[in-house]
């Protein structure tokens, strides 16, 4: 696994992906376009709906207004239908028709017509003979009197002549004023003898129309406007009039003399699915909704109009409102979409983040597992401390090495639980050295105490602990367990010591066997001479006895000579001056400890204590032999403590050096049984031993060696129990003089 791979992956995951953005942008643009189309449709639809609603309302209004106007129109038009008929029944009228030349009858008829006309409220009332000549009229006394006027060419005259009721709207021939002419025949015995006609003015109904905002007009059966709110439209044709009709109209002068057909200044356009049509005014371009109300009984058509602008305004208002609403809708939708997108992006980002956190956590777990297994596989102990010396980290190997768990070690300050009780000074010194930044890069050997009480030998390599900011935050030590190596070395040393001991024993044994061999002869001779002397004394042969005794003492002397020689050899052999050299008793102690003594003491479970002189204690000696002596005395001390430990004190081997009174002194002190008086006086005798398997020559030889160097070997009891063996040698002159020996 590569823990660095995860951040790279996640960085890639966090990067924007343009390939995804493009379709989204396109989607967004498409959506906005669709939205705008919808908004436009909405505006258009709203406009159309409003226009249609307004139009419907206008149609309704027009329908109502048309009905009202038609009612009024019909009311006025039919109001005097009775009047010609009723007037025709009057005897004065038939009398007039029978006697048209009679002035009296005429006057009476004129008066009668005038009175009736006044009462009825009609415009004119008059009577015509069968030729159309007016015989009497309600306006007989006015300048425009109809009397003597001929209306033969008027259709209403012909209708009445034919026996029908005639109705005709036209411009008055005499007055030039328009009006509705209604006529009825005057019958006598079923025969028509004359015609009565009434003229009704339509102004009372048409005048208020001029006050109206929108045009109202009435057309006749030919489509000619004859009544309306717009005076300029009067007598103009709304559709083509056939030439015959034109002729007829000109003939009967319905719309005045000199009338010619002129089209109205507007055009009607029929609307699909609408109750009316649209009226387009030429010139100002105005448009009206036009609704026609047919009056079939009169042959007329009433047209009421309403300005189309209200529809346009309604449409525009609807557009404005719909635009506003659509704008709000579009904005709202865009906002909503934006918000949704942001939410989606946030959601996406959160998912991405969670994914990255998961990836990172996974990577960290992997890295942690990797580190953990790496640490667990390490045989080298790792220990980190902060600047105060507090342990902040230990690995499994370190825990195994000292037998404490990580939780027991982490947080502890010196002295650490695994410090060796015998090396506390040294441990403290090491702490000081490390704190001072003087830890040796070569490492330092350290003896630790395992929780189970065993000693652990280690090498500590300590370096500064630097954090991610380059700050020095403590110390990191790697700890190598060298106990096995140490044990191997000790075993080697022990083996060597064993060898030395064996060699020593062999040397001493050889010496003993030589002694035995050398002494055997004189001793056997002594025994023989003694037996011979005894027998000669019993036989009473004094001369022979003397000789035998002489020979016996000669053998005894020879034995003494042999022993003397050996003593001399022992004394003289190592005393050769060539082997002597200046040496320091402190170094001798160190050396003998290093050689065997420390290992032996450990084996015996005896603590070694040193009390060495500050200055070197110089002597002139055979260094090797002197070391052997110290070694011998040390081993004796250990053996003595093994045989019996002092109850008051624990077993302890103390080596002390000093220079006093011109002497160099090296003492070996123990806490063994000490020296009983009977032992003390025989200590240095050859072959004196209290130990099983002992030879009893060690001390004797040691004394010989020390004495050969001009010194003395002394023994005494120690205060508090134990023995003191002391090597005393003459002090060697100071180094200055030693450099130039005499
Ligand atoms: P060996 O060691 O073979 O017995 P040594 O000459 O070295 O011969 O010792 C002679 C005797 O001196 C020992 O047997 C012992 O009784 C006695 N001795 C030597 N050293 C001590 C000592 N440190 N404490 C008590 N007794 C001792």
């Amino acid at each position: 696994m590569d823990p660095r791979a995860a951040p790279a992956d996640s960085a890639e995951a966090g990067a924007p992906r343009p390939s995804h953005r493009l379709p989204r942008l396109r989607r967004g643009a498409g959506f906005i376009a669709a939205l705008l189309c919808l908004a436009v449709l909405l505006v258009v639809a709203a406009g159309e709906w409003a226009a249609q609603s307004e139009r419907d309302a206008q149609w309704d209004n027009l329908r109502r207004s048309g009905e009202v106007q038609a009612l009024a129109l019909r009311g006025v038009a039919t109001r005097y239908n009775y009047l010609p008929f009723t007037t025709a029944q009057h005897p004065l009228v038939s009398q007039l028709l029978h006697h048209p030349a009679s002035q009296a009858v005429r006057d009476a008829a004129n008066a009668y017509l005038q009175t009736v006309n006044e009462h009825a409220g009609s415009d004119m009332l008059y009577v015509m003979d069968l030729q159309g000549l007016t015989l009497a009229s309600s306006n007989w006394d006015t300048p425009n009197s109809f009397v003597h006027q001929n209306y033969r060419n008027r259709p209403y005259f012909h209708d009445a002549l034919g026996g029908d009721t005639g109705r005709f709207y036209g411009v008055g021939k005499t007055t030039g004023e328009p009006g509705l002419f209604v006529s009825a025949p005057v019958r006598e015995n079923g025969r028509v003898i004359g015609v009565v006609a009434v003229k009704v003015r339509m102004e009372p109904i048409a005048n208020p129309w001029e006050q109206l905002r929108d045009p109202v007009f009435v057309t006749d059966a030919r489509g000619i406007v004859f009544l309306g709110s717009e005076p300029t439209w009067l007598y103009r044709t709304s559709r083509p009039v056939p030439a015959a009709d034109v002729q007829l109209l000109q003939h009967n002068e319905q719309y005045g003399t000199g009338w010619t057909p002129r089209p109205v200044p507007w055009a009607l356009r029929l609307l699909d699915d609408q109750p009316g049509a649209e009226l387009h005014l030429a010139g100002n371009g105005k448009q009206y909704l036009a609704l026609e109300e047919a009056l079939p009984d009169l042959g007329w058509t009433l047209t009421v109009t309403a300005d189309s602008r209200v529809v346009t305004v309604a449409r525009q208002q609807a557009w404005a409102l719909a635009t506003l609403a659509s704008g709000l809708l579009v904005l709202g939708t865009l906002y909503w979409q934006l918000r949704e997108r942001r939410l989606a992006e946030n959601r996406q980002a959160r998912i991405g983040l969670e994914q990255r956190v998961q990836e990172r956590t996974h990577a960290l777990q992997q890295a942690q597992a990797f580190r953990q297994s790496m640490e667990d596989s390490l045989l080298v102990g790792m220990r980190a401390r902060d600047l105060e010396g507090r342990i902040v980290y230990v690995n499994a190997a370190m825990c195994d090495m000292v037998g404490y768990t990580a939780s027991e070690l982490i947080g502890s300050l010196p002295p650490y639980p695994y410090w060796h009780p015998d090396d506390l000074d040294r441990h403290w010194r090491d702490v000081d050295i490390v704190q001072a930044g003087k830890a040796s890069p070569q490492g330092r050997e350290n003896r630790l105490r395992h929780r189970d009480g065993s000693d652990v030998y280690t090498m500590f390599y300590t370096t500064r602990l630097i954090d991610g900011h380059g700050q020095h935050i403590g110390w990191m030590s790697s700890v190598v367990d060298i106990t096995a190596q140490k044990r191997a070395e000790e075993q080697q040393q022990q083996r060597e010591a064993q060898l030395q001991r064996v060699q020593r024993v062999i040397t001493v044994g050889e010496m003993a066997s030589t002694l035995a061999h050398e002494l055997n002869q004189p001793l056997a001779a002594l025994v023989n001479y003694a037996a011979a002397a005894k027998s000669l004394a019993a036989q009473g042969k004094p001369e022979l006895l003397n000789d035998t005794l002489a020979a016996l003492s000669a053998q005894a002397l020879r034995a003494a000579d042999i022993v003397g020689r050996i003593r001399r050899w022992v004394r003289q052999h190592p005393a050769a001056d060539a082997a002597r050299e200046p040496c320091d008793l402190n170094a001798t102690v160190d050396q003998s400890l290093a050689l065997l003594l420390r290992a032996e003491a450990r084996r015996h479970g005896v603590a070694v204590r040193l009390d060495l002189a500050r200055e070197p204690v110089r002597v002139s000696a055979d260094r090797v032999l002197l070391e052997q002596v110290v070694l011998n005395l040390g081993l004796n001390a250990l053996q003595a403590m093994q045989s019996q430990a002092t109850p008051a004190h624990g077993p302890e081997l103390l080596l002390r050096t000093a220079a006093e009174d011109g002497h160099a002194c090296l003492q070996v002190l123990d806490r063994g049984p000490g020296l009983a008086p009977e032992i003390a006086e025989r200590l240095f005798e050859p072959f004196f031993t209290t130990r099983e398997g002992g030879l009893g020559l060690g001390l004797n030889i040691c004394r010989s060696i020390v004495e050969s160097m001009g010194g003395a070997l002394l023994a005494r009891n120690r205060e508090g129990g134990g023995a003191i063996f002391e090597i005393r040698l003459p002090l060697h002159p100071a180094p200055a003089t030693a450099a130039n020996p005499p």
Side-chain angles (χ1 to χ4, degrees):
M1 193 226 61
D2 182 0
R4 288 162 304 172
D9 282 358
S10 54
E12 219 169 78
R17 294 177 182 174
S19 58
H20 281 197
R21 283 182 76 93
L22 215 60
R24 206 198 297 167
L25 271 178
R26 246 182 249 144
R27 257 206 320 273
F31 177 78
I32 289 171
L35 199 66
L36 287 177
C37 283
L38 186 75
V40 169
L41 275 179
L42 200 74
V43 169
V44 170
E48 281 317 298
W49 174 81
Q52 188 55 50
S53 299
E54 186 58 37
R55 205 180 278 128
D56 288 347
Q58 290 301 325
W59 288 134
D60 270 356
N61 284 345
L62 287 177
R63 197 174 295 117
R64 263 197 303 277
S65 149
E67 280 169 5
V68 170
Q69 301 295 355
L71 206 64
L73 195 61
R74 187 178 280 113
V76 173
T78 56
R79 187 161 151 202
Y80 298 101
N81 278 357
Y82 73 93
L83 197 55
F85 175 77
T86 328
T87 307
Q89 308 306 316
H90 202 278
L92 202 53
V93 173
S94 39
Q95 204 176 349
L96 175 68
L97 289 170
H98 284 295
H99 309 284
S102 164
Q103 192 58 45
V105 173
R106 278 179 180 245
D107 290 344
N110 279 335
Y112 168 70
L113 290 174
Q114 192 171 25
T115 309
V116 172
N117 187 56
E118 265 175 32
H119 279 282
S122 53
D123 192 19
M124 312 281 179
L125 184 65
Y126 52 101
V127 179
M128 291 162 284
D129 64 13
L130 290 171
Q131 279 73 45
L133 185 73
T134 304
L135 301 178
S137 172
S138 57
N139 65 345
W140 60 273
D141 53 350
T142 62
N144 291 329
S145 169
F146 286 4
V147 181
H148 305 303
Q149 296 295 323
N150 195 308
Y151 298 110
R152 188 179 49 225
N153 63 340
R154 296 295 213 173
Y156 65 86
F157 172 76
H158 287 283
D159 290 343
L161 216 56
D164 295 330
T165 300
R167 185 178 286 108
F168 168 81
Y169 186 89
V171 179
K173 277 176 71 174
T174 313
T175 57
E177 286 172 358
L180 176 68
F181 298 84
V182 182
S183 63
V186 183
R187 295 176 190 271
E188 196 176 64
N189 301 323
R191 193 171 55 92
V192 176
I193 58 168
V195 172
V196 179
V198 64
K199 181 184 179 187
V200 185
R201 290 173 62 90
M202 298 299 278
E203 277 82 358
I205 192 155
N207 285 347
W209 290 355
E210 288 171 15
Q211 308 304 316
L212 291 178
R213 200 184 50 187
D214 304 319
V216 180
F217 55 92
V218 186
T219 50
D220 66 11
R222 294 187 181 87
I224 298 169
V225 179
F226 64 89
L227 198 67
S229 54
E230 286 290 326
T232 55
W233 297 358
L234 286 179
Y235 317 128
R236 295 172 81 159
T237 57
S238 64
R239 58 173 186 265
V241 181
D245 284 0
V246 173
Q247 250 181 349
L248 184 68
L249 288 171
Q250 284 172 342
H251 169 72
N252 61 26
E253 295 174 339
Q254 184 167 358
Y255 299 119
T257 48
W259 175 86
T260 50
R262 266 193 317 138
V264 288
W266 45 259
L268 269 183
R269 190 167 65 85
L270 282 174
L271 298 171
D272 291 337
D273 304 328
Q274 301 289 324
E278 209 163 45
L279 187 147
H280 292 261
L281 203 57
N284 62 5
K286 268 187 152 185
Q287 291 180 9
Y288 296 91
L289 294 177
L291 191 73
E292 295 183 333
E293 182 78 27
L295 302 165
D297 47 332
L298 298 173
W300 300 344
T301 302
L302 170 72
T303 302
V304 284
T305 65
D307 197 336
S308 295
R309 221 178 35 217
V310 289
V311 176
T312 313
V313 167
R315 181 186 280 123
Q316 285 168 349
Q317 280 174 349
W319 280 349
L321 272 175
T323 306
L324 194 71
S326 300
L328 285 175
L329 187 74
V330 167
L331 282 180
T333 310
L334 285 179
Y335 170 75
W336 170 79
Q337 206 201 17
L338 213 64
R339 189 168 155 273
E340 281 296 298
R341 191 179 303 163
R342 197 159 306 146
L343 282 177
E345 276 172 6
N346 284 351
R347 217 166 21 240
Q348 204 62 35
R350 207 172 50 239
I351 291 169
L353 200 67
E354 277 168 9
Q355 204 171 338
R356 254 178 289 159
V357 167
Q358 262 179 8
E359 284 170 4
R360 193 66 58 84
T361 310
H362 182 67
L364 278 176
Q365 282 170 345
Q366 296 272 62
Q368 181 65 25
F370 179 77
R371 209 186 84 170
Q372 191 64 47
S373 46
M374 191 177 74
E375 282 179 12
D376 291 348
S377 72
L378 269 185
L379 294 175
V380 174
M382 301 296 292
R383 181 197 66 184
R385 292 179 297 171
D386 63 14
L387 291 171
E388 287 173 58
R390 184 179 286 104
I391 294 178
V392 293
Y393 167 78
V394 282
N395 71 345
M398 182 70 199
C399 293
D400 287 350
M401 221 178 275
V402 294
Y404 291 92
T405 63
S407 54
E408 285 170 323
L409 291 178
I410 288 174
S412 58
L413 283 161
Y416 305 126
Y418 51 75
W419 273 10
H420 199 288
D422 296 341
D423 297 346
L424 289 179
D425 290 346
R426 185 191 158 91
H427 284 305
W428 279 116
R429 230 176 9 255
D430 282 356
V431 168
D432 292 342
I433 290 171
V434 168
Q435 303 275 35
K438 292 180 181 158
S440 162
Q442 276 76 45
R444 183 150 166 82
E445 191 178 320
N446 244 324
R447 182 167 61 148
L448 306 180
R449 175 59 61 82
H450 192 278
R451 187 177 217 159
D452 65 10
S454 62
D455 289 350
V456 184
Y457 290 86
T458 57
M459 280 299 289
F460 268 71
Y461 301 91
T462 301
T463 55
R464 289 151 74 91
L465 186 62
I466 307 295
D467 73 1
H469 305 291
Q471 206 85 36
H472 173 212
I473 54 162
W475 309 96
M476 173 61 87
S477 303
S478 48
V479 187
V480 181
D481 188 348
I482 56 164
T483 309
Q485 181 188 336
K486 212 63 189 164
R487 295 251 184 275
E489 279 175 15
E490 269 176 18
Q491 277 173 0
Q492 184 62 24
Q493 280 179 354
Q494 277 175 7
R495 270 197 294 275
E496 281 172 8
Q498 191 81 18
L499 205 64
Q500 282 182 2
R501 216 168 23 241
V502 168
Q503 275 174 350
R504 202 150 55 106
V505 170
I506 286 171
T507 312
V508 174
E510 272 176 355
M511 203 190 295
S513 70
T514 309
L515 264 178
H517 181 76
E518 292 249 347
L519 288 174
N520 202 32
Q521 247 187 322
L523 285 177
L526 268 176
V527 172
N528 289 337
Y529 283 127
K534 194 179 172 186
S535 133
L536 286 173
Q539 287 171 12
K541 294 175 182 170
E543 305 86 25
L544 282 176
L545 182 63
N546 268 340
D547 290 346
T548 306
L549 285 173
L552 188 145
S553 65
Q555 287 303 322
L557 283 172
R558 195 178 150 214
D561 185 46
I562 290 167
V563 171
R565 265 197 296 130
I566 290 170
R567 275 180 65 94
R568 258 198 314 280
W569 177 82
V570 170
R571 191 179 294 168
Q572 282 171 5
H573 178 73
D577 277 350
R580 285 173 69 172
E581 54 183 340
C583 53
D584 174 14
L585 288 188
N586 287 349
T588 308
V589 169
D590 275 349
Q591 195 55 32
S592 10
L593 279 172
L595 262 179
L596 184 68
L597 216 46
R598 194 183 293 282
E600 277 299 295
R602 195 175 301 132
R603 199 166 65 83
H604 284 83
V606 174
V608 176
R609 195 149 69 85
L610 300 179
D611 179 11
L612 304 181
R614 285 170 186 274
E615 301 293 322
V617 184
R618 296 175 198 285
V619 293
S620 173
D622 181 325
R623 200 169 44 81
V624 178
L625 281 181
L626 197 57
E627 283 165 9
Q628 288 295 328
V629 171
V630 176
L631 200 60
N632 247 300
L633 297 177
L635 291 173
N636 274 353
L638 291 175
Q639 282 158 3
M641 283 188 280
Q642 196 179 26
S643 63
Q644 183 201 327
T646 324
H649 305 273
E652 179 200 61
L653 176 63
L654 174 60
L655 298 170
R656 185 184 282 158
T657 58
E660 42 187 33
D661 307 333
H663 290 290
C665 167
L666 191 161
Q667 292 180 339
V668 178
L669 301 93
D670 64 55
R671 289 289 184 192
L675 308 166
E678 65 277 13
I679 293 175
E681 62 190 22
R682 300 189 59 198
L683 271 179
F684 297 104
E685 280 181 17
F687 303 112
F688 172 76
T689 178
T690 57
R691 286 195 300 112
E692 206 178 317
L695 269 177
L697 280 173
L699 285 177
N700 183 274
I701 292 170
C702 286
R703 172 179 262 184
S704 302
I705 291 172
V706 174
E707 284 173 357
S708 76
M709 296 175 190
L713 178 61
L714 310 167
R716 61 179 184 274
N717 275 319
R718 184 184 179 185
E719 217 172 287
I724 304 176
F725 282 80
E726 180 177 323
I727 300 165
R728 200 174 265 224
L729 285 167
L731 262 178
H732 191 75
T737 43
N740 303 300

